[in-house]
């Protein structure tokens, strides 16, 4: 066990963190899972967020099986949970590396002992390049790959690396894009390729090609697939051009793949990667390991509709296989009208950018009472949820409602701790998040 891991386990947690019981003496993080707490037993402060550990483990096993069956690798995006413990669990399960979205996230993962990172974003300009260099100077064994979509960023990074002799190698990934960052044509990509090759050193090299297909999505499913297909085509076509310029010995990465269209990435890029023996395909899906009751539920239904989830040559149901692992728990504060319950959970506690939370179950006096899937959250305030219920619904002040969420990425960042639950809903672990 590393010194940092030991220090994290010994961090004292108290009432400043959601969920921790008021009046309870501070506890080391490692001790939280030994208290026998449950989100609905009246002891824990609500609202809080939880992780179904069994569902998470099943999702990890299923996604790793998918990746392995297609001869690909995966570097799960850490921005979803920003939990070093969960990132380490994914590495232990077979992940090739970890993906981050910015320099600060890279610092968090490096400090936790993780060394192979994809920084799946452009970082800025000269000042950002210097910040990245200053960070990596402390980690000579780091293996970091960064997206570039301009010669200006190539120049900024090269200048920072040229000024110092204490830096580990930096791998540059030319990014193709649609809907967000990334070059829009092969001609621009070639200009960036030539700019990199003109200044390459053993510690500053072109190491592959990147894309992110999720930003190409629109409200029109047919238009979305056309845009993603075009992005994958220009990405695949560029690989032999890169190989022709650098020769056959250097390992290359081709990386794409979020948590909704990763099957399309595999289908469109696998042939190009397979034709290059020194190249590997790396997906970056992150939210898939947590799933949800909203945007990813809909996304996996779409994946199944196109028959995209294949393992070992067999088409299986992604929607049936992956399980939502996240819940938010909140108390009923008021029932001012027959068809309305007000709960103590709002925009400060739960994601709402891709859909409102979904009531799942009702608990009373520390025990399950009823299914509540017929209820609906129709509005959120800062700290209140407005829940439409039936006239005869047995919902009372003080009851606890279990909610499913939509979009894990914007729900995690509201919480400093994720409580891990076993099948009986007992808290058996606690995971720190690092959103800053």
């Amino acid at each position: 066990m590393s010194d940092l891991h030991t220090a994290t386990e010994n961090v004292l947690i108290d009432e400043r963190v959601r969920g921790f019981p008021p009046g309870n003496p501070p506890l080391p993080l490692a001790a939280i899972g030994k208290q026998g707490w449950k989100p609905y037993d009246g002891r824990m402060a609500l609202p809080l967020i939880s992780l179904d550990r069994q569902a998470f483990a099943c999702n990890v096993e299923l996604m790793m099986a998918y990746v392995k069956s297609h001869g690909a690798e995966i570097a799960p995006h850490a921005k979803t949970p920003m939990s070093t413990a969960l990132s380490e669990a994914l590495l232990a399960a077979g992940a090739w590396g970890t993906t981050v979205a910015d320099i600060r996230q890279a610092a968090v993962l490096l400090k936790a002992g993780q060394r192979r990172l994809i920084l799946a974003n452009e970082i800025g300009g000269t000042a950002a390049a210097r910040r990245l260099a200053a960070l990596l100077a402390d980690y000579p064994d780091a293996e970091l790959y960064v997206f570039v979509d301009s010669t200006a960023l190539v120049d900024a990074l090269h200048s920072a690396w040229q000024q110092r002799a204490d830096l580990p190698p930096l791998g540059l990934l030319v990014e193709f894009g649609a809907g967000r960052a990334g070059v829009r044509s092969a001609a621009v990509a070639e200009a960036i390729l030539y700019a990199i090759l003109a200044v390459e050193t053993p510690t500053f090299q072109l190491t592959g090609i990147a894309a992110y297909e999720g930003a190409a999505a629109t409200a029109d499913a047919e238009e979305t697939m056309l845009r993603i297909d075009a992005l994958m085509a220009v990405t695949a076509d560029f690989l032999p051009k890169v190989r022709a310029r650098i020769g056959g010995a250097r390992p290359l990465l081709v990386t794409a793949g979020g948590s909704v269209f990763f099957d399309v990435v595999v289908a469109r890029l696998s042939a190009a990667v397979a034709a290059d023996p020194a190249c590997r395909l790396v997906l970056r899906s992150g939210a898939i390991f947590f799933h949800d009751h909203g945007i990813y539920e809909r996304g996996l239904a779409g994946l199944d509709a196109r028959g995209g989830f294949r393992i070992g040559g067999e088409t299986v149901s992604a929607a049936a296989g992956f399980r939502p692992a996240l819940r938010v728990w909140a108390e009923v504060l008021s029932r001012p009208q027959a068809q309305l319950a007000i709960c103590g959970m709002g925009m400060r506690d739960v994601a709402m950018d891709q859909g409102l939370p979904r009531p799942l179950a009702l608990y009373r006096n520390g025990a399950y009472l009823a299914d509540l899937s017929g209820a609906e959250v129709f509005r959120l305030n800062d700290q209140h949820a407005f829940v439409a219920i039936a006239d005869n619904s047995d919902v009372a002040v003080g009851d606890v409602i279990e909610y499913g969420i939509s979009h894990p990425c914007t729900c995690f960042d509201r919480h400093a701790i994720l409580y891990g639950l076993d099948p009986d809903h007992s808290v058996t672990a606690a995971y720190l998040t690092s959103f800053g």
Side-chain angles (χ1 to χ4, degrees):
M1 183 178 293
S2 69
D3 291 342
L4 180 61
H5 184 79
T6 301
T8 300
E9 293 289 281
N10 290 330
V11 169
L12 286 178
I13 307 300
D14 59 23
E15 295 98 332
R16 289 172 293 181
V17 174
R18 284 185 180 93
F20 195 88
N24 199 95
L27 291 171
L29 181 71
I32 287 178
K34 302 173 184 177
Q35 307 306 306
W37 300 339
K38 294 184 178 182
Y40 52 85
D41 67 3
R43 289 180 289 178
M44 300 188 77
L46 302 182
L48 62 81
I49 189 170
S50 69
L51 174 74
D52 181 330
R53 299 178 70 190
Q54 186 178 76
F56 175 71
C58 290
N59 294 343
V60 171
E61 182 178 5
L62 184 57
M63 190 62 181
M64 294 303 181
Y66 172 85
V67 170
K68 182 178 180 180
S69 75
H70 289 276
E73 305 280 3
I74 190 166
H77 213 315
K79 74 177 177 64
T80 301
M82 270 313 292
S83 164
T84 58
L86 293 175
S87 290
E88 288 164 5
L90 292 169
L91 289 171
W96 174 85
T98 303
T99 297
V100 294
D102 57 35
I103 297 172
R104 189 198 70 84
Q105 291 180 11
V108 171
L109 274 295
L110 287 167
K111 189 172 183 180
Q114 299 184 36
R115 292 294 180 265
R116 180 183 283 159
L117 304 177
I118 296 175
L119 205 169
N121 204 355
E122 283 70 26
I123 60 168
T126 300
R130 289 173 180 164
R131 292 197 301 273
L132 182 61
L135 169 64
L136 291 181
D138 291 332
Y139 301 98
D141 57 342
E143 182 181 336
L144 189 136
Y145 305 87
V146 63
F147 285 14
V148 292
D149 71 352
S150 68
T151 57
L153 179 53
V154 173
D155 292 343
L157 288 166
H158 178 249
S159 176
W161 255 250
Q162 197 175 35
Q163 291 171 19
R164 307 185 64 144
D166 58 346
L167 299 178
L170 182 67
L172 305 182
L173 302 170
V174 178
E175 184 194 6
F176 286 91
R180 202 168 68 184
V183 301
R184 300 303 200 257
S185 71
V188 176
E190 287 181 8
I192 296 170
L193 170 63
Y194 299 150
I196 297 170
L197 296 179
V199 295
E200 276 196 328
T201 70
T203 59
F204 190 83
Q205 287 194 329
L206 176 81
T207 49
I209 310 167
Y212 174 54
E213 74 290 346
T218 71
D220 184 288
E222 185 175 350
E223 175 66 16
T224 292
M225 293 310 301
L226 289 173
R227 286 163 60 89
I228 293 176
D229 282 344
L231 178 61
M232 294 298 101
V234 71
T235 303
D237 290 346
F238 197 62
L239 179 58
K241 296 179 182 179
V242 171
R243 181 57 73 194
R245 288 287 301 176
I246 67 172
R250 186 186 306 179
L252 290 176
L253 304 182
V254 175
T255 178
S259 293
V260 173
F261 300 106
F262 59 84
D263 63 308
V264 182
V265 169
V266 169
R268 304 296 188 270
L269 297 183
S270 288
V273 172
D276 188 328
C279 186
R280 70 174 76 226
L281 176 62
V282 182
L283 303 181
R284 303 191 306 275
S285 314
I288 190 71
F289 298 103
F290 304 95
H291 196 28
D292 69 7
H293 286 89
I295 180 174
Y296 291 108
E297 181 181 69
R298 298 188 294 273
L300 293 192
L303 196 161
D304 282 351
R306 58 182 180 263
F309 198 64
R310 296 179 61 81
I311 298 178
E314 301 264 337
T315 300
V316 297
S317 172
F322 289 98
R323 296 162 50 187
L326 299 176
R327 303 289 191 275
V328 171
W329 304 77
E331 287 168 299
V332 177
L333 307 183
S334 175
R335 190 170 175 182
Q337 300 165 212
Q339 296 181 335
L340 175 65
I342 307 293
C343 289
M345 171 193 69
M347 291 184 288
R348 296 184 176 188
D349 310 300
V350 69
M352 43 48 173
D353 60 310
Q354 297 288 347
L356 293 169
R358 184 186 301 175
L360 300 175
L362 186 70
Y363 297 80
R364 180 176 297 164
N365 298 324
Y368 172 85
L369 183 64
D371 175 89
L372 207 60
S373 56
E376 180 184 5
V377 174
F378 64 92
R379 183 156 61 96
L380 295 175
N381 287 160
D382 285 0
Q383 294 183 234
H384 295 86
F386 294 74
V387 186
I389 56 177
D391 276 340
N392 61 351
S393 180
D394 185 16
V395 174
V397 171
D399 289 347
V400 174
I401 296 179
E402 173 189 6
Y403 294 87
I405 63 100
S406 180
H407 201 194
C409 298
T410 54
C411 195
F412 272 115
D413 62 1
R414 290 161 166 79
H415 298 268
I417 280 187
L418 176 67
Y419 294 94
L421 306 185
D422 270 8
D424 69 350
H425 290 138
S426 293
V427 175
T428 53
Y431 310 97
L432 286 178
T433 63
S434 300
F435 289 99

